[in-house]
Amino acid sequence: QVQVMESGGELVQEGGSLRLSCTASGLTHANAMGWFRQTPEKGREPIACIDWYGLSTFYADSVRGRFTISRDHGKNTLYLQMNDLSPEDTATYYCAAGSLVVLPTTCRNEFGYWGQGTQVTVSS
């Protein structure tokens, strides 16, 4: 059984930093992972994704230069380092793992698994 679980979301002040973590268990093959976020206005959108080898990454324009995605295979964990946060980053952040399409220009969760989400709130 595949389980994906995010952690690290909390209330932070504008300009602050936060690191999200995601652990994925039960996957039996090489997989891509990614972070998506959801708001009522924009729905769920990809913000940062990485393939198994770390050779292909995607960043949304809105976070490029501020957010960094990384993964630790030994711990089956994905990270999202978020710096210089703004109120526009307020959202529920979801981790996806499995069959994702990861290209520099796009990221899609084709047949991957979702976590339950973690809330990030940035106050001004």
Side-chain angles (χ1 to χ4, degrees), residues 53-110:
Y53 300 102
L55 297 178
S56 184
T57 57
F58 164 83
Y59 288 99
D61 290 342
S62 58
V63 306
R64 187 176 293 113
R66 299 188 299 123
F67 292 10
T68 302
I69 190 170
S70 62
R71 63 188 300 176
D72 183 332
H73 286 300
K75 297 181 179 180
N76 290 328
T77 301
L78 179 74
Y79 301 100
L80 183 68
Q81 178 66 43
M82 305 187 292
N83 298 327
D84 192 22
L85 286 162
S86 71
E88 289 70 33
D89 296 314
T90 295
T92 302
Y93 284 70
Y94 293 90
C95 177
S99 298
L100 277 65
V101 173
V102 180
L103 297 170
T105 56
T106 189
C107 175
R108 298 191 305 273
N109 185 353
E110 295 279 304

Side-chain angles (χ1 to χ4, degrees), residues 9 23 26 33 36 50 65 89 91 105 120:
T23 56
M33 297 183 75
F36 295 66
I50 187 168
D89 296 314
T105 56
V120 173

Side-chain angles (χ1 to χ4, degrees), residues 12 14 16 18 22 29 38-39 41 48 55 57-58 70 78 84 89 96-97 111 121:
V12 63
E14 184 174 12
L18 204 58
C22 170
H29 56 275
Q38 183 168 338
T39 63
E41 297 78 19
L55 297 178
T57 57
F58 164 83
S70 62
L78 179 74
D84 192 22
D89 296 314
F111 301 103
T121 303

